[in-house]
Coordinates of all heavy atoms in Angstrom, one line a residue:
M1 N -2.0 -37.0 25.6 CA -3.5 -37.3 25.4 C -4.2 -37.4 26.8 O -4.9 -38.3 27.0 CB -3.7 -38.8 24.8 CG -3.6 -38.5 23.4 SD -5.0 -39.3 22.4 CE -4.0 -40.7 21.7
Y2 N -3.8 -36.5 27.6 CA -4.4 -36.5 29.0 C -5.9 -36.3 29.0 O -6.6 -37.1 29.6 CB -3.7 -35.4 29.9 CG -4.2 -35.4 31.3 CD1 -3.7 -36.4 32.1 CD2 -4.9 -34.4 31.8 CE1 -3.9 -36.4 33.5 CE2 -5.3 -34.3 33.1 CZ -4.8 -35.4 34.0 OH -5.2 -35.3 35.2
G3 N -6.4 -35.3 28.4 CA -7.8 -35.1 28.3 C -8.8 -36.2 27.7 O -9.7 -36.6 28.4
P4 N -8.3 -36.6 26.5 CA -9.0 -37.8 26.0 C -8.9 -39.1 26.8 O -9.9 -39.7 26.9 CB -8.2 -38.0 24.7 CG -7.7 -36.7 24.3 CD -7.3 -36.1 25.6
T5 N -7.9 -39.2 27.6 CA -7.9 -40.5 28.4 C -8.9 -40.2 29.6 O -9.6 -41.2 30.0 CB -6.4 -40.5 29.0 OG1 -5.5 -40.7 28.0 CG2 -6.4 -41.9 30.0
I6 N -9.1 -39.1 30.1 CA -10.1 -38.9 31.2 C -11.3 -39.1 30.6 O -12.2 -39.7 31.3 CB -9.8 -37.4 31.7 CG1 -8.6 -37.2 32.6 CG2 -11.0 -37.1 32.6 CD1 -8.2 -36.0 33.0
L7 N -11.6 -38.5 29.5 CA -12.9 -38.8 28.8 C -13.2 -40.3 28.5 O -14.3 -40.7 28.8 CB -13.0 -37.9 27.5 CG -14.3 -37.9 26.8 CD1 -15.4 -37.4 27.8 CD2 -14.2 -37.0 25.6
F8 N -12.2 -41.0 28.1 CA -12.3 -42.4 27.8 C -12.8 -43.2 29.2 O -13.7 -43.9 29.1 CB -11.0 -43.0 27.4 CG -11.1 -44.5 27.3 CD1 -11.6 -45.1 26.2 CD2 -10.4 -45.3 28.3 CE1 -11.6 -46.6 26.2 CE2 -10.4 -46.6 28.2 CZ -11.0 -47.3 27.2
N9 N -12.1 -42.9 30.3 CA -12.4 -43.4 31.5 C -13.8 -43.1 32.0 O -14.5 -43.9 32.5 CB -11.4 -42.9 32.5 CG -10.0 -43.6 32.4 OD1 -9.9 -44.7 31.8 ND2 -8.9 -42.9 32.8
K10 N -14.2 -41.9 31.7 CA -15.7 -41.5 32.2 C -16.6 -42.2 31.3 O -17.6 -42.8 31.8 CB -15.9 -40.0 31.9 CG -17.2 -39.5 32.4 CD -17.3 -38.0 32.1 CE -18.7 -37.8 32.6 NZ -19.1 -36.3 32.4
I11 N -16.4 -42.4 30.0 CA -17.1 -43.2 29.1 C -17.4 -44.7 29.6 O -18.4 -45.2 29.7 CB -16.8 -43.1 27.6 CG1 -17.0 -41.6 27.1 CG2 -17.5 -44.2 26.8 CD1 -16.1 -41.4 25.8
M12 N -16.1 -45.2 29.9 CA -16.2 -46.6 30.3 C -17.0 -46.8 31.6 O -17.7 -47.7 31.6 CB -14.7 -47.1 30.6 CG -13.8 -47.2 29.3 SD -14.4 -48.3 28.1 CE -15.2 -47.3 26.9
K13 N -16.8 -46.0 32.5 CA -17.7 -45.9 33.7 C -19.1 -45.8 33.5 O -19.9 -46.4 34.0 CB -17.2 -44.8 34.8 CG -17.8 -44.9 36.1 CD -17.2 -43.8 37.0 CE -17.8 -44.0 38.4 NZ -17.1 -43.0 39.2
T14 N -19.5 -44.8 32.7 CA -20.8 -44.5 32.3 C -21.6 -45.8 31.5 O -22.7 -46.1 31.7 CB -21.0 -43.3 31.4 OG1 -20.5 -42.3 32.1 CG2 -22.5 -43.0 31.0
W15 N -20.7 -46.4 30.7 CA -21.2 -47.6 30.0 C -21.1 -49.0 30.8 O -21.4 -50.0 30.3 CB -20.4 -47.8 28.7 CG -20.7 -46.7 27.6 CD1 -21.6 -45.6 27.8 CD2 -20.0 -46.5 26.4 NE1 -21.5 -45.0 26.6 CE2 -20.5 -45.4 25.7 CE3 -19.1 -47.3 25.7 CZ2 -20.2 -44.9 24.5 CZ3 -18.6 -46.9 24.5 CH2 -19.1 -45.7 23.9
H16 N -20.6 -48.9 32.0 CA -20.6 -49.9 33.0 C -19.6 -51.0 32.5 O -19.7 -52.1 32.5 CB -22.0 -50.7 33.3 CG -23.0 -49.6 33.9 ND1 -24.1 -50.1 33.9 CD2 -22.8 -48.5 34.6 CE1 -25.0 -49.1 34.6 NE2 -24.1 -48.1 34.9
I17 N -18.5 -50.4 32.0 CA -17.2 -51.3 31.6 C -16.3 -51.2 32.7 O -15.8 -50.2 33.0 CB -16.8 -50.9 30.2 CG1 -17.9 -50.9 29.1 CG2 -15.6 -51.6 29.9 CD1 -17.4 -50.5 27.7
S18 N -15.9 -52.4 33.3 CA -14.9 -52.5 34.4 C -13.5 -51.9 33.8 O -13.3 -51.9 32.7 CB -14.8 -54.0 34.7 OG -14.0 -54.7 33.7
N19 N -12.7 -51.6 34.8 CA -11.5 -51.0 34.5 C -10.7 -52.2 33.8 O -9.9 -51.9 32.9 CB -10.6 -50.7 35.8 CG -11.2 -49.4 36.4 OD1 -11.8 -48.6 35.9 ND2 -11.0 -49.3 37.7
E20 N -10.8 -53.3 34.2 CA -10.0 -54.5 33.6 C -10.5 -54.6 32.1 O -9.6 -54.8 31.2 CB -10.5 -55.8 34.2 CG -9.7 -57.1 33.7 CD -10.0 -58.3 34.5 OE1 -10.1 -58.3 35.7 OE2 -10.1 -59.3 33.7
D21 N -11.7 -54.5 31.7 CA -12.2 -54.5 30.4 C -11.7 -53.3 29.5 O -11.4 -53.4 28.5 CB -13.7 -54.8 30.3 CG -14.2 -56.1 30.6 OD1 -13.4 -57.1 30.4 OD2 -15.3 -56.3 31.0
A22 N -11.8 -52.3 30.1 CA -11.3 -50.9 29.6 C -9.9 -51.0 29.1 O -9.5 -50.7 28.1 CB -11.6 -49.8 30.5
M23 N -9.1 -51.7 30.0 CA -7.6 -51.8 29.7 C -7.5 -52.9 28.5 O -6.6 -52.6 27.7 CB -6.9 -52.2 31.0 CG -6.9 -51.2 32.1 SD -6.4 -49.4 31.5 CE -4.8 -49.7 30.9
K24 N -8.4 -53.8 28.5 CA -8.3 -54.8 27.4 C -8.6 -54.1 26.1 O -7.9 -54.3 25.1 CB -9.3 -55.9 27.6 CG -8.7 -56.9 28.6 CD -10.0 -58.0 28.5 CE -10.0 -58.8 29.8 NZ -11.0 -59.7 30.0
I25 N -9.5 -53.1 26.2 CA -9.8 -52.5 24.8 C -8.7 -51.6 24.4 O -8.3 -51.7 23.3 CB -11.1 -51.4 25.1 CG1 -12.3 -52.2 25.4 CG2 -11.3 -50.5 23.9 CD1 -13.4 -51.4 26.1
I26 N -8.0 -51.0 25.3 CA -6.9 -50.0 24.8 C -5.6 -50.7 24.7 O -4.8 -50.5 23.8 CB -6.9 -48.9 25.8 CG1 -8.1 -48.0 25.9 CG2 -5.7 -48.0 25.6 CD1 -8.4 -47.3 24.4
D27 N -5.3 -51.7 25.6 CA -4.0 -52.2 25.7 C -3.7 -53.5 24.9 O -2.8 -54.2 25.1 CB -3.5 -52.5 27.1 CG -3.2 -51.2 27.8 OD1 -3.0 -50.2 27.2 OD2 -3.3 -51.2 29.0
S28 N -4.8 -54.0 24.1 CA -4.7 -55.3 23.6 C -3.6 -55.3 22.4 O -3.4 -56.4 22.0 CB -6.1 -55.8 23.1 OG -6.6 -54.9 22.2
D29 N -3.3 -54.3 21.9 CA -2.2 -54.2 20.7 C -1.7 -52.8 20.7 O -1.9 -52.0 21.5 CB -2.7 -54.7 19.5 CG -3.9 -54.0 19.0 OD1 -4.1 -52.7 19.2 OD2 -4.8 -54.5 18.3
S30 N -1.0 -52.5 19.5 CA -0.3 -51.3 19.4 C -1.0 -50.2 19.0 O -0.5 -49.1 18.7 CB 1.0 -51.6 18.6 OG 0.4 -51.9 17.2
N31 N -2.4 -50.4 18.7 CA -3.3 -49.4 18.3 C -4.0 -48.5 19.3 O -5.1 -48.1 19.0 CB -4.3 -49.9 17.3 CG -3.6 -50.7 16.1 OD1 -2.8 -50.0 15.5 ND2 -4.0 -51.8 15.8
S32 N -3.4 -48.4 20.4 CA -4.1 -47.7 21.5 C -4.6 -46.3 21.2 O -5.7 -46.2 21.5 CB -3.2 -47.7 22.8 OG -2.8 -48.9 23.2
D33 N -3.9 -45.5 20.7 CA -4.3 -44.1 20.4 C -5.4 -44.2 19.4 O -6.4 -43.4 19.5 CB -3.1 -43.3 19.8 CG -2.1 -43.0 20.7 OD1 -2.3 -43.1 21.9 OD2 -1.0 -42.5 20.3
E34 N -5.3 -45.1 18.3 CA -6.3 -45.2 17.4 C -7.8 -45.7 18.0 O -8.8 -45.2 17.8 CB -6.0 -46.1 16.2 CG -7.2 -46.0 15.1 CD -6.6 -46.9 13.9 OE1 -5.5 -47.5 14.0 OE2 -7.4 -47.0 13.0
K35 N -7.6 -46.7 18.9 CA -8.7 -47.2 19.6 C -9.5 -46.2 20.5 O -10.6 -46.0 20.6 CB -8.4 -48.5 20.3 CG -8.2 -49.6 19.5 CD -7.6 -50.8 20.4 CE -7.4 -51.9 19.7 NZ -7.1 -53.1 20.5
L36 N -8.6 -45.4 21.1 CA -9.1 -44.3 22.0 C -10.0 -43.3 21.1 O -11.0 -43.0 21.4 CB -7.9 -43.6 22.7 CG -8.3 -42.5 23.6 CD1 -9.2 -42.9 24.8 CD2 -7.1 -41.8 24.2
R37 N -9.4 -42.9 20.0 CA -10.2 -41.9 19.1 C -11.4 -42.7 18.7 O -12.4 -42.0 18.6 CB -9.4 -41.5 18.0 CG -8.2 -40.5 18.3 CD -7.5 -40.1 17.1 NE -6.8 -41.0 16.3 CZ -5.4 -41.3 16.7 NH1 -4.9 -40.7 17.7 NH2 -4.8 -42.2 15.9
I38 N -11.4 -43.9 18.3 CA -12.7 -44.7 17.8 C -13.7 -44.6 19.0 O -14.7 -44.4 18.6 CB -12.3 -46.0 17.3 CG1 -11.5 -46.0 16.0 CG2 -13.6 -46.9 17.2 CD1 -10.9 -47.4 15.7
I39 N -13.3 -44.9 20.2 CA -14.2 -45.0 21.2 C -14.8 -43.6 21.5 O -16.0 -43.5 21.6 CB -13.5 -45.4 22.6 CG1 -13.3 -46.9 22.5 CG2 -14.5 -45.3 23.8 CD1 -14.4 -47.9 22.4
L40 N -14.0 -42.5 21.4 CA -14.6 -41.2 21.6 C -15.4 -40.9 20.5 O -16.5 -40.2 20.7 CB -13.3 -40.2 21.6 CG -12.5 -40.4 22.9 CD1 -11.3 -39.4 22.8 CD2 -13.2 -40.3 24.1
R41 N -15.3 -41.2 19.1 CA -16.2 -41.0 18.1 C -17.6 -41.7 18.3 O -18.6 -41.2 18.0 CB -15.6 -41.4 16.8 CG -16.4 -41.4 15.5 CD -17.2 -40.2 15.4 NE -16.5 -38.9 15.3 CZ -17.0 -37.8 15.3 NH1 -18.2 -37.5 15.6 NH2 -16.2 -36.7 15.4
I42 N -17.5 -43.1 18.6 CA -18.6 -43.8 18.9 C -19.5 -43.1 19.9 O -20.7 -43.1 19.8 CB -18.2 -45.3 19.3 CG1 -17.5 -46.2 18.3 CG2 -19.5 -46.1 20.0 CD1 -17.0 -47.3 18.7
A43 N -18.8 -42.7 21.0 CA -19.5 -42.0 22.1 C -20.2 -40.8 21.6 O -21.4 -40.5 21.8 CB -18.6 -41.8 23.3
T44 N -19.5 -40.0 20.8 CA -20.1 -38.8 20.2 C -21.2 -39.0 19.4 O -22.2 -38.2 19.6 CB -18.8 -38.0 19.4 OG1 -17.8 -37.8 20.2 CG2 -19.5 -36.7 18.8
D45 N -21.2 -39.9 18.6 CA -22.3 -40.4 17.7 C -23.5 -40.9 18.4 O -24.6 -40.4 18.3 CB -21.8 -41.4 16.7 CG -20.9 -40.9 15.6 OD1 -20.9 -39.6 15.4 OD2 -20.4 -41.6 15.0
L46 N -23.2 -41.7 19.5 CA -24.4 -42.3 20.3 C -25.1 -41.1 21.1 O -26.2 -41.1 21.2 CB -23.9 -43.3 21.2 CG -23.4 -44.7 20.5 CD1 -22.9 -45.7 21.5 CD2 -24.8 -45.2 19.7
Y47 N -24.2 -40.3 21.7 CA -24.9 -39.2 22.4 C -25.5 -38.2 21.6 O -26.5 -37.6 22.1 CB -23.7 -38.7 23.4 CG -23.6 -39.6 24.6 CD1 -22.5 -40.3 24.7 CD2 -24.5 -39.6 25.6 CE1 -22.3 -41.2 25.7 CE2 -24.4 -40.4 26.8 CZ -23.2 -41.3 26.8 OH -23.1 -42.1 27.9
A48 N -25.1 -38.0 20.4 CA -25.8 -37.2 19.5 C -27.3 -37.7 19.1 O -28.3 -37.0 18.9 CB -25.0 -36.8 18.2
L49 N -27.3 -39.1 19.0 CA -28.5 -39.8 18.8 C -29.4 -39.8 19.8 O -30.7 -39.7 19.8 CB -28.2 -41.1 18.3 CG -27.6 -41.2 16.8 CD1 -27.1 -42.7 16.6 CD2 -28.8 -41.1 15.9
F50 N -28.9 -40.2 21.1 CA -29.7 -40.7 22.2 C -29.7 -39.8 23.4 O -30.5 -39.9 24.2 CB -29.4 -42.1 22.7 CG -29.5 -43.1 21.4 CD1 -28.4 -43.8 21.0 CD2 -30.8 -43.3 20.9 CE1 -28.5 -44.7 20.1 CE2 -30.7 -44.2 19.8 CZ -29.7 -44.9 19.5
I51 N -28.7 -38.9 23.5 CA -28.5 -37.9 24.6 C -28.4 -38.5 25.9 O -27.4 -38.1 26.6 CB -29.6 -36.9 24.5 CG1 -29.7 -36.2 23.1 CG2 -29.6 -35.8 25.6 CD1 -30.9 -35.3 22.9
E52 N -29.2 -39.3 26.4 CA -29.3 -39.8 27.8 C -28.4 -41.1 27.9 O -28.5 -41.9 27.2 CB -30.6 -40.0 28.3 CG -31.4 -38.7 28.3 CD -32.9 -39.0 28.9 OE1 -33.1 -40.0 29.4 OE2 -33.8 -38.2 28.5
D53 N -27.6 -41.1 29.1 CA -26.9 -42.2 29.4 C -27.5 -43.5 29.4 O -27.0 -44.5 28.7 CB -26.1 -42.1 30.8 CG -25.1 -41.0 30.8 OD1 -24.5 -40.6 29.8 OD2 -24.8 -40.5 32.0
N54 N -28.6 -43.6 29.9 CA -29.4 -44.8 30.0 C -29.8 -45.5 28.6 O -29.8 -46.5 28.4 CB -30.6 -44.8 31.1 CG -31.7 -43.9 30.7 OD1 -31.4 -42.9 30.0 ND2 -32.9 -44.2 31.0
V55 N -30.2 -44.5 27.7 CA -30.6 -44.9 26.4 C -29.4 -45.3 25.7 O -29.5 -46.3 25.0 CB -31.3 -43.7 25.7 CG1 -31.8 -44.1 24.3 CG2 -32.4 -43.2 26.4
V56 N -28.4 -44.8 25.8 CA -27.1 -45.0 25.2 C -26.6 -46.5 25.6 O -26.4 -47.4 24.8 CB -25.8 -44.0 25.4 CG1 -24.6 -44.7 24.9 CG2 -26.2 -42.8 24.8
R57 N -26.7 -46.7 26.9 CA -26.4 -48.0 27.5 C -27.3 -49.1 26.9 O -26.8 -50.3 26.7 CB -26.4 -48.0 29.1 CG -25.0 -47.8 29.7 CD -25.1 -48.1 31.2 NE -26.3 -47.4 31.9 CZ -26.4 -46.3 32.5 NH1 -25.2 -45.4 32.2 NH2 -27.2 -45.7 33.0
N58 N -28.5 -48.8 27.0 CA -29.5 -49.8 26.5 C -29.3 -50.1 25.0 O -29.2 -51.3 24.7 CB -31.0 -49.2 26.5 CG -31.6 -49.3 27.9 OD1 -31.0 -49.9 28.9 ND2 -32.5 -48.4 28.1
W59 N -28.9 -49.1 24.3 CA -28.5 -49.4 22.8 C -27.3 -50.4 22.8 O -27.2 -51.4 22.0 CB -28.3 -48.2 22.1 CG -28.0 -48.4 20.7 CD1 -29.0 -48.3 19.6 CD2 -26.9 -48.6 20.0 NE1 -28.4 -48.6 18.5 CE2 -27.0 -48.7 18.6 CE3 -25.6 -48.7 20.4 CZ2 -26.0 -49.0 17.7 CZ3 -24.5 -49.1 19.4 CH2 -24.9 -49.2 18.2
L60 N -26.3 -50.0 23.6 CA -25.0 -50.7 23.6 C -25.2 -52.2 24.0 O -24.4 -53.2 23.5 CB -23.9 -50.1 24.4 CG -23.4 -48.9 24.0 CD1 -22.7 -48.2 25.2 CD2 -22.5 -49.1 22.8
Y61 N -26.2 -52.5 24.8 CA -26.3 -53.9 25.5 C -27.3 -54.7 24.7 O -27.7 -55.8 25.2 CB -26.7 -53.8 26.9 CG -25.3 -53.4 27.8 CD1 -24.8 -52.1 27.7 CD2 -24.6 -54.5 28.4 CE1 -23.7 -51.8 28.5 CE2 -23.5 -54.2 29.1 CZ -23.1 -52.8 29.2 OH -21.9 -52.6 30.0
E62 N -27.9 -54.3 23.7 CA -29.0 -55.0 23.0 C -28.4 -55.6 21.6 O -27.7 -54.7 20.9 CB -30.2 -54.1 22.6 CG -30.8 -53.7 24.0 CD -32.0 -52.8 23.7 OE1 -32.2 -52.2 22.4 OE2 -32.7 -52.3 24.6
P63 N -28.7 -56.7 21.2 CA -28.2 -57.2 19.9 C -28.8 -56.3 18.9 O -29.8 -55.8 18.8 CB -28.8 -58.6 19.8 CG -29.4 -59.0 21.1 CD -29.5 -57.7 21.9
K64 N -28.0 -56.4 17.8 CA -28.3 -55.5 16.6 C -28.4 -56.3 15.3 O -27.4 -57.0 14.8 CB -27.3 -54.2 16.2 CG -27.2 -53.4 17.5 CD -28.5 -52.6 17.7 CE -28.3 -51.7 19.0 NZ -29.1 -52.2 20.0
K65 N -29.6 -56.4 14.7 CA -29.8 -57.1 13.5 C -28.8 -56.8 12.4 O -28.2 -57.5 11.7 CB -31.1 -56.9 13.1 CG -31.5 -57.6 11.6 CD -33.0 -57.4 11.3 CE -33.2 -55.9 11.1 NZ -34.6 -55.6 10.6
E66 N -28.5 -55.4 12.4 CA -27.5 -54.8 11.4 C -26.1 -55.3 11.6 O -25.3 -55.1 10.8 CB -27.7 -53.5 11.3 CG -29.0 -52.9 11.0 CD -30.0 -52.7 12.2 OE1 -29.6 -53.1 13.3 OE2 -31.0 -52.2 11.9
L67 N -25.9 -55.9 12.9 CA -24.5 -56.3 13.2 C -24.5 -57.9 13.3 O -23.8 -58.4 14.1 CB -24.0 -55.7 14.5 CG -23.9 -54.2 14.6 CD1 -23.5 -53.8 15.8 CD2 -22.7 -53.9 13.5
E68 N -25.4 -58.4 12.4 CA -25.6 -59.9 12.5 C -26.0 -60.5 13.9 O -25.5 -61.5 14.4 CB -24.3 -60.7 12.0 CG -24.0 -60.4 10.6 CD -22.8 -59.5 10.4 OE1 -21.9 -59.4 11.3 OE2 -22.7 -58.8 9.4
G69 N -26.8 -59.7 14.6 CA -27.3 -60.0 15.8 C -26.3 -59.9 17.0 O -26.6 -60.2 18.1
Q70 N -25.2 -59.4 16.7 CA -24.2 -59.2 17.8 C -24.5 -58.0 18.7 O -25.3 -57.1 18.3 CB -22.8 -59.0 17.2 CG -22.4 -60.1 16.4 CD -21.0 -60.0 15.8 OE1 -20.6 -58.8 15.5 NE2 -20.2 -61.1 15.6
V71 N -24.0 -58.0 19.9 CA -24.3 -57.1 20.8 C -23.0 -56.0 20.8 O -22.0 -56.3 21.0 CB -24.3 -57.5 22.4 CG1 -24.5 -56.5 23.4 CG2 -25.5 -58.5 22.2
P72 N -23.3 -54.7 20.6 CA -22.1 -53.7 20.5 C -21.3 -53.7 21.5 O -20.0 -53.6 21.4 CB -22.9 -52.4 20.3 CG -24.2 -52.8 19.8 CD -24.6 -54.1 20.2
I73 N -21.6 -53.8 22.8 CA -20.9 -53.7 24.0 C -19.8 -55.0 24.0 O -18.6 -54.8 24.3 CB -21.6 -53.5 25.3 CG1 -20.6 -53.0 26.4 CG2 -22.2 -54.8 25.8 CD1 -20.3 -51.5 26.2
I74 N -20.2 -56.1 23.5 CA -19.4 -57.3 23.5 C -18.3 -57.1 22.4 O -17.1 -57.3 22.7 CB -20.2 -58.6 23.2 CG1 -21.0 -58.7 24.6 CG2 -19.2 -59.8 23.0 CD1 -21.9 -59.9 24.3
L75 N -18.7 -56.5 21.3 CA -17.7 -56.2 20.1 C -16.6 -55.1 20.7 O -15.4 -55.3 20.5 CB -18.4 -55.6 19.0 CG -19.3 -56.6 18.3 CD1 -20.2 -56.0 17.2 CD2 -18.5 -57.7 17.6
I76 N -17.2 -54.2 21.4 CA -16.3 -53.1 22.1 C -15.3 -53.8 23.1 O -14.0 -53.6 22.9 CB -17.1 -52.0 22.6 CG1 -17.8 -51.2 21.5 CG2 -16.3 -51.1 23.6 CD1 -18.9 -50.3 22.0
K77 N -15.9 -54.5 24.0 CA -15.0 -55.1 25.0 C -13.9 -56.1 24.4 O -13.0 -56.4 25.1 CB -15.8 -55.9 25.9 CG -16.6 -55.0 26.9 CD -17.5 -55.9 27.9 CE -18.2 -55.0 28.9 NZ -18.9 -56.0 29.8
S78 N -14.2 -56.6 23.2 CA -13.1 -57.6 22.6 C -11.9 -56.8 22.4 O -10.8 -57.4 22.3 CB -13.7 -58.1 21.3 OG -13.7 -57.0 20.2
G79 N -11.9 -55.5 22.2 CA -10.7 -54.7 22.0 C -10.1 -54.9 20.6 O -9.1 -54.3 20.3
K80 N -10.8 -55.6 19.8 CA -10.3 -55.9 18.4 C -10.6 -54.6 17.5 O -11.7 -54.2 17.4 CB -10.9 -57.1 17.8 CG -10.4 -58.4 18.5 CD -11.1 -59.5 17.7 CE -10.7 -60.8 18.4 NZ -11.4 -62.0 17.9
L81 N -9.6 -54.1 16.8 CA -9.7 -52.8 16.1 C -10.8 -53.1 15.0 O -11.6 -52.1 14.8 CB -8.4 -52.5 15.4 CG -8.4 -51.3 14.6 CD1 -8.7 -50.2 15.5 CD2 -7.0 -51.2 13.9
E82 N -10.9 -54.3 14.4 CA -11.9 -54.4 13.4 C -13.3 -54.3 13.9 O -14.2 -54.0 13.3 CB -11.7 -55.8 12.5 CG -11.8 -57.1 13.3 CD -10.4 -57.5 13.9 OE1 -9.4 -56.6 14.0 OE2 -10.3 -58.6 14.3
N83 N -13.5 -54.8 15.2 CA -14.9 -54.7 15.9 C -15.2 -53.3 16.3 O -16.2 -52.8 16.0 CB -14.8 -55.6 17.2 CG -14.9 -57.1 16.9 OD1 -15.3 -57.5 15.6 ND2 -14.6 -57.9 17.8
L84 N -14.1 -52.6 16.6 CA -14.4 -51.1 17.1 C -14.7 -50.3 15.8 O -15.6 -49.5 15.8 CB -13.1 -50.5 17.6 CG -12.8 -51.2 19.2 CD1 -11.4 -50.5 19.6 CD2 -13.9 -50.8 20.1
M85 N -13.9 -50.6 14.7 CA -14.4 -50.1 13.5 C -15.7 -50.3 13.0 O -16.4 -49.4 12.5 CB -13.3 -50.4 12.4 CG -12.0 -49.8 12.6 SD -11.8 -47.9 12.5 CE -12.3 -47.8 10.8
K86 N -16.2 -51.6 13.1 CA -17.5 -51.9 12.8 C -18.5 -51.1 13.5 O -19.5 -50.6 12.9 CB -17.8 -53.4 13.0 CG -19.0 -53.9 12.5 CD -19.3 -55.5 13.0 CE -18.4 -56.4 12.3 NZ -18.7 -57.7 12.6
I87 N -18.4 -50.9 14.8 CA -19.3 -50.1 15.7 C -19.2 -48.7 15.2 O -20.2 -47.9 15.1 CB -19.0 -50.3 17.1 CG1 -19.0 -51.7 17.7 CG2 -19.9 -49.5 18.0 CD1 -20.5 -52.4 17.3
K88 N -18.1 -48.2 15.0 CA -17.9 -46.8 14.6 C -18.5 -46.5 13.3 O -19.2 -45.5 13.1 CB -16.3 -46.4 14.5 CG -16.0 -45.1 14.0 CD -14.5 -44.8 13.8 CE -14.4 -43.5 13.0 NZ -13.2 -43.6 12.3
E89 N -18.3 -47.5 12.3 CA -19.1 -47.2 11.1 C -20.7 -47.1 11.2 O -21.3 -46.4 10.5 CB -18.6 -48.2 10.0 CG -17.1 -48.0 9.6 CD -16.5 -49.2 9.0 OE1 -17.3 -50.2 8.6 OE2 -15.2 -49.1 8.6
Y90 N -21.0 -48.1 12.0 CA -22.5 -48.3 12.1 C -23.1 -47.0 12.9 O -24.1 -46.4 12.5 CB -22.7 -49.5 13.0 CG -24.3 -49.8 13.1 CD1 -25.1 -49.8 12.1 CD2 -24.8 -50.2 14.4 CE1 -26.6 -50.0 12.3 CE2 -26.2 -50.4 14.6 CZ -27.0 -50.4 13.5 OH -28.4 -50.6 13.7
T91 N -22.5 -46.5 14.0 CA -22.9 -45.4 14.7 C -22.8 -44.1 13.7 O -23.7 -43.3 13.8 CB -22.2 -45.3 16.0 OG1 -20.8 -45.1 15.8 CG2 -22.6 -46.3 17.0
A92 N -21.8 -44.1 13.0 CA -21.6 -42.9 12.0 C -22.9 -42.9 11.1 O -23.4 -42.0 10.7 CB -20.4 -43.0 11.3
Y93 N -23.1 -44.2 10.5 CA -24.3 -44.3 9.6 C -25.6 -43.9 10.4 O -26.3 -43.1 9.7 CB -24.4 -45.9 9.1 CG -25.6 -46.1 8.5 CD1 -25.9 -45.7 7.2 CD2 -26.7 -46.8 9.2 CE1 -27.2 -46.0 6.6 CE2 -27.9 -47.1 8.5 CZ -28.1 -46.6 7.3 OH -29.3 -47.0 6.7
L94 N -25.8 -44.3 11.6 CA -27.1 -44.1 12.3 C -27.2 -42.5 12.5 O -28.2 -41.9 12.5 CB -27.1 -44.7 13.6 CG -27.3 -46.2 13.6 CD1 -27.3 -46.8 14.9 CD2 -28.6 -46.6 12.9
S95 N -26.1 -41.9 12.8 CA -26.1 -40.4 13.2 C -26.0 -39.5 11.8 O -26.1 -38.4 12.0 CB -24.9 -40.0 14.0 OG -23.7 -40.2 13.3
G96 N -25.9 -40.1 10.7 CA -26.0 -39.4 9.5 C -24.7 -38.8 9.1 O -24.6 -38.0 8.2
R97 N -23.7 -39.3 9.6 CA -22.3 -38.7 9.3 C -21.7 -39.4 8.0 O -21.8 -40.5 7.8 CB -21.3 -38.9 10.4 CG -21.3 -37.8 11.4 CD -20.1 -37.9 12.3 NE -19.7 -39.2 12.8 CZ -18.7 -39.7 12.4 NH1 -17.9 -39.1 11.4 NH2 -18.2 -40.8 12.8

């Protein structure tokens, strides 16, 4: 998974997620490959919707009423699979998938 790992690292940098937090996302349990795929899908959906990095970042760092007021980036940084799935499902819904 060399290519996806490079892309994951680029996404983390673009979203202003530290290396330490990025490792927590991926290494917090045995679902590393699945989490990597989820992050890539979230990024794909967000960039399809918003195109520009700064708009994607703004979206990630603002509370969302549809997520009970939670902030997507905090859910992502938790590294919990259920939180990543929640963001993935929401971004898929927004993008019409």
Side-chain angles (χ1 to χ4, degrees):
M1 273 228 251
Y2 187 70
T5 303
I6 292 172
L7 186 54
F8 171 81
N9 289 331
K10 182 178 178 181
I11 291 166
M12 294 296 101
K13 186 175 184 176
T14 302
W15 292 356
H16 297 166
I17 296 177
S18 70
N19 288 338
E20 182 179 322
D21 283 338
M23 294 312 297
K24 284 182 204 172
I25 293 167
I26 295 300
D27 290 339
S28 59
D29 59 32
S30 62
N31 296 312
S32 296
D33 290 342
E34 184 176 2
K35 289 179 178 182
L36 180 61
R37 285 190 294 276
I38 291 169
I39 292 291
L40 297 179
R41 172 47 58 193
I42 291 169
T44 300
D45 288 343
L46 288 175
Y47 284 97
L49 286 165
F50 304 119
I51 302 170
E52 296 181 21
D53 290 336
N54 63 327
V55 180
V56 170
R57 262 193 312 276
N58 288 341
W59 186 91
L60 286 166
Y61 282 83
E62 294 174 355
K64 302 292 176 253
K65 179 177 62 173
E66 300 82 0
L67 297 172
E68 294 103 32
Q70 296 180 333
V71 179
I73 201 71
I74 292 172
L75 294 172
I76 291 169
K77 285 180 179 181
S78 76
K80 294 180 180 176
L81 185 59
E82 61 269 16
N83 288 343
L84 294 174
M85 290 296 296
K86 184 186 293 188
I87 300 299
K88 178 186 166 202
E89 290 166 6
Y90 183 49
T91 57
Y93 166 76
L94 291 175
S95 68
R97 278 191 321 99

